[in-house]
Amino acid sequence: MCPEKQKEAKRLRSAQSLYKLHEIELRQRDEDLFRALQYRGTLACQITGLAGSLFRDGEPIVTGLLMAVEKEWPKIAGADAPCPLHFSAKDKDLHRADEAKWIEGVELMETVLEDLGAPRSWDGWVSHADYETMRARLDRGLERFLAREARDDAERAEWIRAWPFKDTW
Protein backbone atom coordinates (compact mmCIF):
# COMPACT_ATOMS: atom_id res chain seq x y z
CA MET A 1 0.00 0.00 0.00
CA CYS A 2 1.38 3.43 -0.92
CA PRO A 3 2.25 5.82 1.93
CA GLU A 4 -0.74 8.06 1.16
CA LYS A 5 -3.20 5.15 1.35
CA GLN A 6 -1.51 3.92 4.57
CA LYS A 7 -1.96 7.36 6.10
CA GLU A 8 -5.64 7.40 5.06
CA ALA A 9 -6.16 3.89 6.47
CA LYS A 10 -4.62 4.95 9.81
CA ARG A 11 -6.82 8.05 9.90
CA LEU A 12 -9.90 5.93 9.22
CA ARG A 13 -8.90 3.41 11.93
CA SER A 14 -8.39 6.25 14.42
CA ALA A 15 -11.80 7.72 13.58
CA GLN A 16 -13.49 4.31 13.93
CA SER A 17 -11.74 3.69 17.26
CA LEU A 18 -12.80 7.10 18.54
CA TYR A 19 -16.38 6.41 17.46
CA LYS A 20 -16.43 3.06 19.28
CA LEU A 21 -14.93 4.61 22.43
CA HIS A 22 -17.59 7.31 22.30
CA GLU A 23 -20.28 4.64 21.87
CA ILE A 24 -18.97 2.69 24.90
CA GLU A 25 -18.77 5.86 27.01
CA LEU A 26 -22.31 6.87 26.02
CA ARG A 27 -23.67 3.43 26.86
CA GLN A 28 -22.00 3.52 30.29
CA ARG A 29 -23.25 7.03 31.08
CA ASP A 30 -26.80 6.87 29.71
CA GLU A 31 -28.25 3.52 28.63
CA ASP A 32 -31.61 5.05 27.65
CA LEU A 33 -29.99 7.58 25.33
CA PHE A 34 -27.78 4.89 23.86
CA ARG A 35 -30.83 2.70 23.09
CA ALA A 36 -32.68 5.67 21.59
CA LEU A 37 -29.79 6.37 19.24
CA GLN A 38 -29.55 2.69 18.28
CA TYR A 39 -33.30 2.72 17.51
CA ARG A 40 -32.82 5.18 14.61
CA GLY A 41 -31.90 2.57 12.02
CA THR A 42 -34.52 -0.02 12.92
CA LEU A 43 -37.70 -0.97 11.09
CA ALA A 44 -39.76 0.26 14.05
CA CYS A 45 -38.13 3.67 13.72
CA GLN A 46 -38.76 3.71 9.98
CA ILE A 47 -42.45 2.90 10.53
CA THR A 48 -42.71 5.66 13.14
CA GLY A 49 -40.97 8.03 10.76
CA LEU A 50 -43.34 7.04 7.96
CA ALA A 51 -46.33 7.76 10.18
CA GLY A 52 -44.90 11.19 11.02
CA SER A 53 -44.14 11.86 7.39
CA LEU A 54 -47.66 10.89 6.38
CA PHE A 55 -49.06 13.15 9.05
CA ARG A 56 -46.91 16.09 7.91
CA ASP A 57 -47.16 15.88 4.19
CA GLY A 58 -48.15 12.60 2.60
CA GLU A 59 -51.65 11.76 3.77
CA PRO A 60 -53.43 12.80 0.55
CA ILE A 61 -51.18 10.52 -1.48
CA VAL A 62 -51.77 7.50 0.74
CA THR A 63 -55.50 8.19 0.96
CA GLY A 64 -55.66 8.39 -2.84
CA LEU A 65 -53.85 5.08 -3.13
CA LEU A 66 -56.21 3.46 -0.63
CA MET A 67 -59.16 4.78 -2.61
CA ALA A 68 -57.63 3.24 -5.72
CA VAL A 69 -57.30 -0.07 -3.85
CA GLU A 70 -61.00 0.08 -2.99
CA LYS A 71 -61.88 0.73 -6.64
CA GLU A 72 -59.58 -2.01 -7.93
CA TRP A 73 -60.33 -4.51 -5.14
CA PRO A 74 -62.15 -7.06 -7.34
CA LYS A 75 -59.10 -7.19 -9.62
CA ILE A 76 -56.75 -7.44 -6.65
CA ALA A 77 -58.51 -10.00 -4.46
CA GLY A 78 -61.27 -11.38 -6.66
CA ALA A 79 -64.92 -10.47 -7.05
CA ASP A 80 -66.04 -12.55 -4.05
CA ALA A 81 -63.60 -11.08 -1.52
CA PRO A 82 -65.11 -8.22 0.50
CA CYS A 83 -63.02 -5.05 0.45
CA PRO A 84 -61.87 -3.96 3.92
CA LEU A 85 -61.92 -0.33 2.80
CA HIS A 86 -64.88 1.93 2.16
CA PHE A 87 -64.88 5.60 1.20
CA SER A 88 -68.15 7.49 0.88
CA ALA A 89 -68.82 10.03 -1.86
CA LYS A 90 -68.27 12.75 0.76
CA ASP A 91 -64.89 11.18 1.70
CA LYS A 92 -63.89 11.23 -1.96
CA ASP A 93 -64.94 14.86 -2.40
CA LEU A 94 -63.01 15.88 0.72
CA HIS A 95 -60.00 13.95 -0.55
CA ARG A 96 -60.07 15.74 -3.91
CA ALA A 97 -60.11 19.09 -2.10
CA ASP A 98 -57.30 18.01 0.30
CA GLU A 99 -55.23 16.67 -2.57
CA ALA A 100 -55.59 19.94 -4.50
CA LYS A 101 -54.48 21.91 -1.42
CA TRP A 102 -51.60 19.50 -0.84
CA ILE A 103 -50.40 19.82 -4.45
CA GLU A 104 -50.65 23.61 -4.20
CA GLY A 105 -48.63 23.54 -0.96
CA VAL A 106 -45.95 21.30 -2.44
CA GLU A 107 -45.65 23.54 -5.50
CA LEU A 108 -45.45 26.60 -3.27
CA MET A 109 -42.69 25.03 -1.16
CA GLU A 110 -40.78 24.00 -4.28
CA THR A 111 -40.99 27.58 -5.55
CA VAL A 112 -39.67 28.92 -2.24
CA LEU A 113 -36.81 26.41 -2.11
CA GLU A 114 -35.90 27.09 -5.72
CA ASP A 115 -35.97 30.82 -5.00
CA LEU A 116 -33.61 30.25 -2.05
CA GLY A 117 -31.32 27.99 -4.05
CA ALA A 118 -31.88 25.21 -1.51
CA PRO A 119 -32.33 21.49 -2.30
CA ARG A 120 -35.89 20.15 -2.46
CA SER A 121 -35.64 18.22 0.81
CA TRP A 122 -33.88 21.01 2.74
CA ASP A 123 -34.88 21.16 6.40
CA GLY A 124 -33.55 24.63 7.13
CA TRP A 125 -30.24 23.66 8.73
CA VAL A 126 -27.04 25.30 7.44
CA SER A 127 -23.40 25.17 8.40
CA HIS A 128 -21.90 27.97 10.47
CA ALA A 129 -19.91 29.04 7.42
CA ASP A 130 -23.09 29.45 5.33
CA TYR A 131 -25.28 30.91 8.07
CA GLU A 132 -25.06 34.64 7.25
CA THR A 133 -25.43 34.06 3.52
CA MET A 134 -28.48 31.83 3.97
CA ARG A 135 -30.03 34.13 6.55
CA ALA A 136 -29.84 37.02 4.06
CA ARG A 137 -31.29 34.74 1.34
CA LEU A 138 -34.13 33.75 3.66
CA ASP A 139 -34.93 37.36 4.51
CA ARG A 140 -35.03 38.29 0.80
CA GLY A 141 -36.90 35.09 -0.05
CA LEU A 142 -39.56 35.75 2.60
CA GLU A 143 -40.11 39.27 1.29
CA ARG A 144 -40.42 38.02 -2.31
CA PHE A 145 -42.80 35.28 -1.15
CA LEU A 146 -44.98 37.75 0.77
CA ALA A 147 -45.06 40.14 -2.19
CA ARG A 148 -46.25 37.25 -4.37
CA GLU A 149 -48.72 35.56 -2.01
CA ALA A 150 -50.06 37.97 0.63
CA ARG A 151 -53.06 40.03 -0.45
CA ASP A 152 -53.33 42.16 2.70
CA ASP A 153 -51.73 42.75 6.12
CA ALA A 154 -53.76 40.02 7.84
CA GLU A 155 -52.74 37.45 5.24
CA ARG A 156 -49.15 38.68 5.44
CA ALA A 157 -49.18 38.06 9.21
CA GLU A 158 -50.60 34.55 8.67
CA TRP A 159 -47.91 33.69 6.10
CA ILE A 160 -45.18 34.98 8.42
CA ARG A 161 -46.56 32.84 11.25
CA ALA A 162 -46.57 29.78 8.94
CA TRP A 163 -43.11 30.43 7.43
CA PRO A 164 -41.14 27.21 8.11
CA PHE A 165 -37.63 28.70 8.02
CA LYS A 166 -37.38 30.69 11.22
CA ASP A 167 -34.09 31.65 12.81
CA THR A 168 -34.32 30.00 16.23
CA TRP A 169 -30.93 31.03 17.58
Side-chain angles (χ1 to χ4, degrees), residues 16-64:
Q16 289 172 334
S17 296
L18 185 61
Y19 177 82
K20 285 313 255 180
L21 287 170
H22 176 266
E23 196 174 62
I24 291 166
E25 179 72 17
L26 177 63
R27 187 173 201 161
Q28 288 174 344
R29 286 185 184 219
D30 192 335
E31 182 71 25
D32 291 336
L33 178 58
F34 176 79
R35 273 197 310 274
L37 291 173
Q38 296 300 307
Y39 176 73
R40 286 186 318 185
T42 65
L43 179 58
C45 182
Q46 290 172 359
I47 297 296
T48 304
L50 174 63
S53 195
L54 289 174
F55 180 74
R56 273 191 318 280
D57 53 23
E59 186 179 344
I61 292 172
V62 173
T63 303

Side-chain angles (χ1 to χ4, degrees), residues 63-118:
T63 303
L65 290 171
L66 292 173
M67 287 179 173
V69 167
E70 178 192 29
K71 183 178 176 183
E72 299 293 321
W73 188 255
K75 294 177 189 172
I76 295 169
D80 295 335
C83 182
L85 302 170
H86 175 71
F87 295 95
S88 68
K90 183 179 178 183
D91 291 335
K92 292 173 185 175
D93 289 343
L94 288 172
H95 173 260
R96 278 189 285 278
D98 285 347
E99 187 175 42
K101 289 177 190 173
W102 181 81
I103 289 169
E104 183 181 343
V106 168
E107 289 171 350
L108 201 54
M109 182 59 84
E110 285 177 356
T111 301
V112 168
L113 292 174
E114 189 176 297
D115 191 35
L116 295 172

